[in-house]
Amino acid sequence: MPGEDADDGMSGKTVPVEKAEAMDSSATDADIDAEAAARIVVGIGYFGAIEFSTLTAKDVLTTEFTSLQGAYDYYNEYGRIKGILVRRSKIFVCSREGERDGKHMQREDRKMDPQPITRCGCEARIKVHVDDAIRRWFVEQLCDNHNHPMLDARFKGLSQSHRAVKEGDLHQINSMRKSELWVPTIFRAFANQSGGFETVGFEIKDIYNAIEKQRRAGATDAEKYSLDVGKRLENLFWCDGTSCYDYSVFGDVLGFDAMYVHNKYKCPLVIFSGVDHHIRTVVFGCAILSNESEGSYVWLLRSFLEAMKGKQPKSVITDGDLTIKSAVSTVFPGAHHRLCS
């Protein structure tokens, strides 16, 4: 803590930069110059050149980062090697920093048992600050004093702050999925390669999350429009990437309503919608039409089908308008058409 002498290792004391610079005063000038040279960490790709298990206080305090995320990744990797979990606060702290608020333990209306207490007032942390002139982050303060046991080595890769499906892993997962392997089988293959489930570095649910994130990232916005004979905007359809992804998962039943004609421009506003696995309404797209002719609805449904990569709905729910009914049978001939009450 402030006012105490810092040693050469990760002693558990809070070490300001000034004391780190004063360490090892008996070293030769060459040693001092070598140690004073700051190590600049650009990102995770640089970690291979760092031996985290042997880092000293001075090593950490003389490290600079090109981004705040890089500083967090550095401390997180150090925590993984040492067997601790890292949490973001105003600074980077041990996950067991602080105490649980007593009101959460003493609630009389509790229906379930409280979660196990994990916070025990641990003071371990790292504080960084930025030099705006050169856009570089420096370590301002370090405390490595933990008041709790470290994680067992076999559990280090399973903590939330350390689990991650890396880019190389995702490429391998995609290759296995192209071979029609199921995710549980893929996870077992990774476990066999790494020597056990606890050494994979992620859990099976992380694979599902990575696949879903990849799908969402691959979905793009779509906008289509048509012009009348006077080259004026006639019809407009739009959907975003999230809508396209939601339709790919929940689009077996499609509903659309064109009854919203009481607006400033007296134009039908069409909303395509469905229901997700939580029985919540999801929007697949929307459109504004200049009129309610069969031709306009055929154009709209074909634009919708093109944006959704040709996936046909199994059931379509609309109102009783005859032009809509005719357009549905033209564009979605295999769908069951139902009328909403």
Side-chain angles (χ1 to χ4, degrees):
M1 301 302 291
E4 297 178 341
D5 293 333
D7 62 11
D8 191 42
M10 306 299 275
S11 64
K13 299 179 177 63
T14 301
V15 186
V17 173
E18 292 78 5
K19 288 205 171 186
E21 293 174 347
M23 290 178 181
D24 298 334
S25 58
S26 60
T28 64
D29 292 341
D31 291 336
I32 293 176
D33 291 339
E35 292 176 351
R39 168 184 283 156
I40 300 176
V41 175
V42 178
I44 294 178
Y46 187 83
F47 290 176
I50 303 174
E51 186 59 54
F52 284 90
S53 61
T54 60
L55 287 179
T56 66
K58 182 179 290 186
D59 292 332
V60 176
L61 289 164
T62 56
T63 300
E64 302 174 6
F65 309 93
T66 57
S67 68
L68 182 61
Q69 182 63 42
Y72 171 78
D73 292 336
Y74 177 90
Y75 188 54
N76 191 42
E77 179 64 13
Y78 169 76
R80 186 185 70 83
I81 299 298
K82 294 294 185 179
I84 63 172
L85 282 64
V86 175
R87 175 164 52 85
R88 286 181 182 267
S89 183
K90 294 181 180 180
I91 55 179
F92 306 142
V93 300
C94 175
S95 64
R96 305 190 70 172
E97 177 267 351
E99 303 284 350
R100 182 178 297 182
D101 196 323
K103 67 180 182 180
H104 299 304
M105 301 293 296
Q106 301 167 4
R107 290 177 51 184
E108 296 181 356
D109 60 342
R110 184 181 296 280
K111 297 180 179 180
M112 301 178 62
D113 293 335
Q115 295 181 351
I117 297 177
T118 57
R119 298 195 182 187
C120 57
C122 181
E123 297 181 350
R125 68 193 63 197
I126 184 172
K127 183 178 181 181
V128 296
H129 71 283
V130 65
D131 185 332
D132 291 323
I134 60 175
R135 296 301 303 168
R136 192 170 294 168
W137 295 82
F138 300 86
V139 178
E140 181 178 330
Q141 194 179 76
L142 168 71
C143 177
D144 200 44
N145 185 26
H146 297 271
N147 62 353
H148 55 85
M150 302 294 103
L151 285 175
D152 188 276
R154 56 187 176 142
F155 299 126
K156 289 181 179 179
L158 300 179
S159 59
Q160 185 174 358
S161 64
H162 301 144
R163 295 199 320 263
V165 179
K166 299 178 181 178
E167 186 176 352
D169 297 331
L170 187 56
H171 284 312
Q172 188 173 353
I173 290 170
N174 289 333
S175 297
M176 292 181 175
R177 292 182 66 237
K178 288 180 181 178
S179 301
E180 300 185 352
L181 294 179
W182 289 6
V183 171
T185 303
I186 294 173
F187 184 61
R188 286 196 293 270
F190 273 92
N192 290 334
Q193 292 176 5
S194 61
F197 292 100
E198 67 277 3
T199 59
V200 173
F202 50 83
E203 295 181 348
I204 191 169
K205 64 180 180 181
D206 298 317
I207 298 180
Y208 285 112
N209 290 339
I211 292 173
E212 181 175 353
K213 183 178 180 181
Q214 182 179 241
R215 284 175 177 170
R216 288 186 180 274
T220 57
D221 297 355
E223 178 182 315
K224 297 187 178 298
Y225 61 91
S226 66
L227 305 177
D228 62 15
V229 292
K231 302 298 182 181
R232 295 171 299 186
L233 181 64
E234 184 178 33
N235 302 314
L236 175 66
F237 166 78
W238 181 86
C239 65
D240 61 12
T242 300
S243 298
C244 293
Y245 174 77
D246 287 340
Y247 180 78
S248 70
V249 180
F250 308 115
D252 288 342
V253 179
L254 172 67
F256 68 94
D257 190 357
M259 297 299 291
Y260 302 97
V261 295
H262 302 294
N263 53 54
K264 179 179 179 180
Y265 300 102
K266 304 299 181 182
C267 293
L269 172 63
V270 182
I271 304 294
F272 293 91
S273 61
V275 178
D276 67 9
H277 55 305
H278 294 296
I279 319 300
R280 296 179 303 193
T281 299
V282 289
V283 176
F284 301 140
C286 58
I288 295 179
L289 306 178
S290 61
N291 58 69
E292 294 188 280
S293 67
E294 181 179 340
S296 291
Y297 283 120
V298 169
W299 173 89
L300 174 59
L301 294 181
R302 285 175 175 168
S303 297
F304 177 84
L305 189 62
E306 182 180 348
M308 301 304 168
K309 297 180 171 51
K311 177 180 177 178
Q312 294 263 353
K314 295 181 179 179
S315 296
V316 179
I317 302 174
T318 70
D319 59 30
D321 190 291
L322 294 179
T323 56
I324 295 179
K325 181 178 180 181
S326 179
V328 169
S329 63
T330 299
V331 182
F332 302 140
H336 298 285
H337 185 198
R338 296 291 183 266
L339 303 180
C340 59
S341 57

